[in-house]
Amino acid sequence: MERQDLMQEETFGNETGNDDVLLMLFDRLVREHGAVKAGELLGINYRTVAKVRATRRLTPYITNALEMFMLSEANPVIQGLVTKVDSLHGQVEKLRVRDKELSATVDKHQTETAATQEALLKMVRATARQVDKLGVSERKSSRSADGGDGDKKTASPKSGEKETQQTTKWFPRRTYPQLVTKVPAEDDEHVYKEAWPVVREWREVENGHRYKGKTLTWMKRHERLLEVERRLLDEFQLTLPPARHPIDKEMRRKLLRWNEDDLRSIRGRIVRRLMLRWVRRILTVGLWRK
């Protein structure tokens, strides 16, 4: 080992700025650990350490030993970097856990917000009806008097229904019976079956309904349109215009999700409008009207 070190010491490296840094490291190791211990840390013997201290020159072998020590975990600087990396890794893991917790909290908050909005909408509507009753007490009595006649008229059958005879008709098969059409057809009741009353209501509500509006009447009509569309999409698995072919499950899920978002938005607008109307009526002692 000594012979090999001495042979390698015959060839010296160039005196560069890097040698000065390595010599500073060498001096620090000798100063802190002693010549023998410093040689053990670098993998060289005591004679080589003494040679370097005397000549202040580094052979390629010693240069390599010092550079390897600089990159090893025995170097206090490297130890500090390892500690910092471990600390950062722990912080990243904590942030990941925190992110999952925040995501769960946000989902829970959105669910609670939707439920609260539904309850608030019902409460505001009930309160608005109570306020209306306070301002129209006189008209209420007259309406109740007319209610009996209206029930009788409703209960009375149409004159032609008793005489109508049920006949079985044959209709050509539709290519896509799952599609809801805007234009009525003679075989609608036969094609849509249980969904026929809902399809008919959808046509009535959708007919002439604008896509944008600001009045409370428009908001309520739009809310009803969304509710009917949701029943047709989810309960009866039908496809609405402008689609020309039945939609798949993935598209149906997207449409239902968009429908739910639109319902939440329009109901929020209705709540704000009803609350504003309610407050204005309270402030004007029931004298303010639409």
Side-chain angles (χ1 to χ4, degrees), residues 41-288:
L41 291 174
L42 295 175
I44 59 180
N45 56 36
Y46 174 78
R47 292 180 59 188
T48 304
V49 173
K51 181 83 171 177
V52 174
R53 295 182 67 185
T55 61
R56 308 298 296 168
R57 302 181 67 182
L58 301 176
T59 64
Y61 178 78
I62 299 176
T63 299
N64 181 69
L66 288 168
E67 290 176 347
M68 293 298 294
F69 177 81
M70 289 180 65
L71 299 177
S72 67
E73 294 185 359
N75 187 356
V77 177
I78 299 298
Q79 291 178 357
L81 291 176
V82 171
T83 302
K84 290 182 179 180
V85 170
D86 292 340
S87 176
L88 290 174
H89 180 72
Q91 293 178 10
V92 169
E93 289 299 324
K94 290 181 180 179
L95 289 175
R96 289 178 179 175
V97 174
R98 182 61 177 167
D99 181 66
K100 291 181 180 179
E101 293 176 352
L102 288 175
S103 299
T105 303
V106 169
D107 293 340
K108 181 180 179 180
H109 177 70
Q110 290 179 345
T111 303
E112 293 177 351
T113 300
T116 303
Q117 192 179 61
E118 288 281 352
L120 183 60
L121 179 59
K122 293 180 181 179
M123 182 190 70
V124 171
R125 283 175 171 171
T127 306
R129 287 195 295 268
Q130 292 296 328
V131 174
D132 289 339
K133 290 180 181 179
L134 293 176
V136 293
S137 58
E138 295 182 357
R139 296 174 58 186
K140 179 181 177 182
S141 58
S142 61
R143 289 180 179 177
S144 61
D146 296 337
D149 296 339
D151 294 339
K152 292 180 181 179
K153 291 180 180 179
T154 303
S156 60
K158 295 181 180 180
S159 58
E161 286 182 353
K162 293 183 178 180
E163 299 177 357
T164 303
Q165 296 181 355
Q166 297 293 335
T167 57
T168 303
K169 293 184 178 181
W170 179 86
F171 299 104
R173 179 180 176 83
R174 291 193 188 184
T175 305
Y176 299 115
Q178 303 93 335
L179 295 181
V180 175
T181 61
K182 290 186 177 181
V183 180
E186 189 177 1
D187 61 341
D188 281 341
E189 185 174 1
H190 173 74
V191 172
Y192 299 123
K193 297 180 175 62
E194 294 84 359
W196 165 235
V198 185
V199 173
R200 182 170 51 191
E201 182 182 2
W202 175 82
R203 288 174 178 170
E204 293 174 356
V205 178
E206 198 273 341
N207 185 26
H209 180 64
R210 301 188 305 273
Y211 288 99
K212 294 183 179 180
K214 297 182 179 179
T215 65
L216 181 60
T217 302
W218 181 91
M219 294 179 192
K220 291 182 178 179
R221 185 181 180 91
H222 193 69
E223 178 191 21
R224 184 56 187 164
L225 179 62
L226 292 172
E227 291 173 345
V228 173
E229 288 181 348
R230 185 170 188 83
R231 286 195 63 191
L232 293 175
L233 287 169
D234 190 18
E235 182 178 346
F236 298 105
Q237 297 292 299
L238 296 176
T239 300
L240 296 172
R244 297 183 179 180
H245 299 85
I247 57 177
D248 56 15
K249 293 182 179 180
E250 181 64 26
M251 188 61 190
R252 190 177 302 278
R253 282 195 294 268
K254 290 183 179 179
L255 291 176
L256 287 172
R257 185 169 62 253
W258 295 339
N259 178 279
E260 183 178 357
D261 293 341
D262 292 342
L263 263 176
R264 187 182 301 110
S265 176
I266 196 65
R267 285 171 176 169
R269 292 178 60 186
I270 291 174
V271 167
R272 292 190 292 271
R273 180 62 60 86
L274 286 175
M275 291 183 67
L276 177 61
R277 173 176 292 186
W278 177 36
V279 171
R280 293 180 63 181
R281 289 183 180 181
I282 293 295
L283 293 177
T284 55
V285 198
L287 298 178
W288 180 82

